[in-house]
Amino acid sequence: MFKRQSITHFHTRVLPAFLFLLLATVNGRAQCLLDWYWPMNNGDYTYYSNSTYGGGEDSFSLSGGSFVLEQNFAESSGYANLSYSGGQVLMSEVTTLGYDIVFDNDLIFLNETILKNGGSVSSSSSGTLYAGWQSGTFDATLTVSASKTGTVTVPAGTYTNCISINWSLKVSANEQSVTVPLNVFVLAPGSGVIRQGIYEASGTTATQVGWEDLTSGQVGGVPVASLVHLSGLTVPAFTLQPKNTVATNLGIAVLHAAATGGNIQ
């Protein structure tokens, strides 16, 4: 999420700076795919590397009923407050580089539907940017999109059934607006994030220049090297639901059902 000078995970360096400029003139978890592709467990940590730009670490901790995603890359760090709710992961706050961005209503960070079917989903909220003693309000729309990526190889192993996730945020303040890319992740079943985008930023625009790839760590207390084979598993799902039926006297009632998934593909 963070890089020296012009290289950055965009939303933690460029977005807060841009918001600050805009505002300067103003004084239950039962989701199989979410658990599979975006696991969050207290104490999870994963390491990433890039031969040119270095590497860093992601970690999750549980705080007050929500998870804190902490990212430490190069000389910077940042946090995002995330929670599971009703088939989706919600984001309420982002903190980085001395800026605290708080949304009045939680934004949809990821949901079950786009993981299953692809496509995109958007959510909107007003919010407040805090920078030291200064603060200002803004309106934001977060759009997250998902697409199948197939097989991806990183230092930690070769993963199948991967999904690429892109986030972008439209921010409006002081009668100005801009849409900026937040980041792109590649997710693998059972392991979560195996790749993170690296961006080169200029003003309020950014160009992806590479990837930071998963090298090691643990998810749910299990080393990531031991989770690679899980990417070949698919989440079980009914293709034929059982229906109500009635048995005649001394007869037999037969229920028919069929399911897919759960086997190595």
Side-chain angles (χ1 to χ4, degrees):
M1 188 179 288
F2 316 97
K3 293 292 172 291
R4 293 184 293 274
Q5 299 175 359
S6 63
I7 302 300
T8 180
H9 282 64
F10 192 69
H11 72 279
T12 57
R13 179 181 294 274
V14 180
L15 175 60
F18 172 70
L19 281 173
F20 185 72
L21 290 174
L22 281 184
L23 299 171
T25 59
V26 176
N27 286 340
R29 294 178 54 186
Q31 297 76 39
C32 291
L33 289 175
L34 279 178
D35 287 335
W36 205 229
Y37 280 93
W38 189 263
M40 292 193 295
N41 304 283
N42 190 38
D44 283 358
Y45 61 89
T46 43
Y47 296 104
Y48 304 84
S49 69
N50 177 281
S51 59
T52 301
Y53 302 112
E57 175 189 7
D58 285 356
S59 63
F60 283 100
S61 59
L62 189 60
S63 176
S66 63
F67 287 91
V68 177
L69 167 60
E70 179 179 357
Q71 296 191 301
N72 290 291
F73 286 81
E75 298 173 354
S76 302
S77 63
Y79 305 83
N81 287 358
L82 306 172
S83 60
Y84 290 113
S85 177
Q88 53 196 4
V89 175
L90 302 178
M91 180 172 67
S92 61
E93 183 176 357
V94 177
T95 302
T96 183
L97 298 172
Y99 299 96
D100 190 18
I101 303 170
V102 181
F103 301 104
D104 295 333
N105 299 300
D106 293 349
L107 297 177
I108 298 173
F109 184 80
L110 193 59
N111 73 11
E112 187 87 358
T113 301
I114 65 170
L115 285 174
K116 180 179 179 180
N117 302 322
S120 63
V121 62
S122 297
S123 54
S124 299
S125 175
S126 55
T128 304
L129 172 71
Y130 298 93
W133 294 101
Q134 298 180 327
S135 65
T137 59
F138 60 89
D139 294 314
T141 298
L142 178 66
T143 299
V144 54
S145 60
S147 59
K148 293 182 179 180
T149 306
T151 300
V152 176
T153 298
V154 296
T158 296
Y159 297 82
T160 58
N161 297 310
C162 296
I163 296 177
S164 178
I165 304 292
N166 290 267
W167 289 270
S168 65
L169 189 69
K170 180 180 180 181
V171 180
S172 301
N174 294 338
E175 299 183 349
Q176 302 179 68
S177 64
V178 67
T179 300
V180 295
L182 291 186
N183 211 329
V184 55
F185 287 171
V186 175
L187 310 182
S191 298
V193 180
I194 62 168
R195 271 189 165 169
Q196 305 191 36
I198 303 172
Y199 289 86
E200 183 172 302
S202 176
T204 58
T205 63
T207 302
Q208 187 180 351
V209 296
W211 295 98
E212 285 176 325
D213 291 338
L214 178 66
T215 59
S216 61
Q218 70 174 32
V219 175
V222 180
V224 294
S226 299
L227 297 172
V228 175
H229 73 284
L230 295 180
S231 68
L233 301 176
T234 57
V235 176
F238 276 109
T239 57
L240 174 63
Q241 293 281 356
K243 298 181 179 180
N244 292 334
T245 187
V246 177
T248 60
N249 187 31
L250 300 179
I252 298 174
V254 179
L255 297 177
H256 297 279
T260 61
N263 295 319
I264 296 178
Q265 304 296 301

